[in-house]
Amino acid sequence: MRRLIRPDELMLWAAVARTVRPAHGRVVPVVEGEAQTKTKAKPAATASVAPETKPKPQPAPYWRQHVTPAPHVIEPNRKRRLTRERDPIEARIDLHGLGQFQAEDRLKAFLLRAQDSGLRAVLVITGKGVSGDGIIRRRAPDWLADPALRGIVAGVAQAHPRHGGEGALYVAIKRRGAG
């Protein structure tokens, strides 16, 4: 049997919920009685959060309306071999200092050349951005999942710290004609 949430617990939860930024695609839940002050708390019998009432999801911003699915993840054994340098990283591209559109164009051209050259694994260095949330770092997985690259990209995984960690991606490339 669930116990009812006390008014002071509800107020504390509302205060905490106001201080966090929701994960991508999520919304902050609205807590009943959030606008109340401590002097006007609800009685304990009605102070529970209704689990069946969900807040209406906010529509996605116009630039996120047509989100491509995430790229496939590199197989764990292949990622392990890349991390331990048993499979070579055959080429690298550094997207530091580029604008968003320029970085996307260079990345796509680089991957096309890599596949034409018969390369199987490359490292894409996106950088972390100023506050750890750079635009290239955020957008690179979307670019790699683009339908135009479906015949090129076999999988993507975050790089090991010695290869750039959170600021770099391993990209496995499909064999030519294996599309």
Side-chain angles (χ1 to χ4, degrees), residues 45-142:
T46 61
S48 66
V49 177
E52 57 272 356
T53 59
K54 293 184 181 178
K56 293 181 183 176
Q58 297 294 324
Y62 69 91
W63 63 87
R64 287 295 221 176
Q65 292 291 333
H66 302 287
V67 177
T68 55
H72 293 293
V73 178
I74 293 179
E75 309 88 46
N77 289 336
R78 187 168 188 188
K79 182 181 178 193
R80 190 175 306 116
R81 289 191 311 265
L82 287 168
T83 299
R84 295 178 180 174
E85 298 178 353
R86 292 196 177 128
D87 280 356
I89 297 172
E90 299 168 309
R92 301 166 196 265
I93 183 170
D94 190 346
L95 302 175
H96 280 103
L98 300 178
Q100 174 180 345
F101 301 111
Q102 187 180 17
E104 180 181 9
D105 292 341
R106 285 206 185 162
L107 176 62
K108 289 180 178 180
F110 171 75
L111 292 173
L112 285 168
R113 283 192 312 272
Q115 186 185 40
D116 287 343
S117 300
L119 304 182
R120 301 286 291 134
V122 296
L123 183 69
V124 177
I125 302 168
T126 62
K128 294 182 184 179
V130 176
S131 63
D133 192 29
I135 188 72
I136 296 173
R137 177 180 171 206
R138 274 184 301 174
R139 295 296 313 261
D142 292 338

Side-chain angles (χ1 to χ4, degrees), residues 4-20:
L4 296 175
I5 299 173
R6 297 189 321 246
D8 59 326
E9 293 173 330
L10 191 60
M11 295 299 289
L12 179 62
W13 174 250
V16 170
R18 282 192 304 270
T19 64
V20 298

